[in-house]
Amino acid sequence: MKKVIVFMLLAFGLSQTSNAQIQFGVKGGVNYNSNSIKETSTDVFNGAKSKTGYHAGIWLRAKLPIVGFYIRPELVYTNLENEVYYTQAGKTTTHTFQKIDIPVLLGKKIFGIGNVFIGPSFQYILDSDFGIEDIKNVDADGFTVGLQFGGGIEFGKLGIDVRWERGFSDVESSFVGNLGNVEYDTRVNQIIVGLSIQL
């Protein structure tokens, strides 16, 4: 059902093309993931620290009939990392989190070169791993929904934007380790700085 909603939103955006000028391009940038691994069972993790991640993808923008407004769906690969202390082994390990993001943003042009936007971000978790042998068989909830909003400026075909993203739903994950099955929450909360190029 959730996947159907994603495709419906994308179809809505594309359906506006008859009355709109279409632009598309590529994008990439850095992500500062300020979430910490929040454990939901026993005391296994301590001192989670965020590390800078990255993203890359494609975007499409269609002007809407309302003057100045547009819809911008994107398809983006995102890689995030946290450093966390695993108390059972007395070791620090890296938690890597990879996902596909599909933001569907409603935006408005301001002052000629600026824009502001907001919209849902549909996310599919590709992989979630720890860099330590004691933690294995990591499972992450496959589909989550978040919110993005922000703003940016454009100089010709080059654009720079800053956005904030917050997950609506918990990313419930689990792993099999020395204590058996352990559940934890890695809900995404991040600042995203992106550079886009219109093709």
Side-chain angles (χ1 to χ4, degrees), residues 45-88:
F45 299 124
N46 276 316
K49 297 180 180 178
S50 299
K51 302 177 73 174
T52 301
Y54 61 89
H55 70 272
I58 57 177
W59 58 270
L60 179 147
R61 181 167 63 192
K63 292 182 180 179
L64 297 176
I66 304 172
V67 176
F69 283 88
Y70 62 85
I71 189 166
R72 175 169 165 155
E74 301 177 351
L75 180 64
V76 182
Y77 168 80
T78 300
N79 183 290
L80 303 173
E81 289 188 355
N82 278 325
E83 189 177 86
V84 64
Y85 184 72
Y86 180 44
T87 58
Q88 301 308 306

Side-chain angles (χ1 to χ4, degrees), residues 36 38 43-44 53 62 94 103 117 119 124 131 133 151 154 158 166-167 170:
S36 295
K38 298 176 182 177
D43 185 19
V44 176
T94 298
F117 47 80
Y124 182 76
E133 294 262 336
E154 296 179 350
L158 184 67
R166 174 62 171 159
D170 295 351

Side-chain angles (χ1 to χ4, degrees), residues 6-17 64 71 104 106:
V6 174
F7 288 117
M8 286 177 63
L9 287 168
L10 290 175
F12 170 76
L14 294 174
S15 70
Q16 306 300 317
T17 60
L64 297 176
I71 189 166
V104 182
L106 175 65

Side-chain angles (χ1 to χ4, degrees), residues 104-123:
V104 182
L105 305 172
L106 175 65
K108 187 178 190 311
K109 299 284 288 183
I110 56 173
F111 307 122
I113 64 170
N115 58 80
V116 292
F117 47 80
I118 188 170
S121 179
F122 303 93
Q123 304 155 1

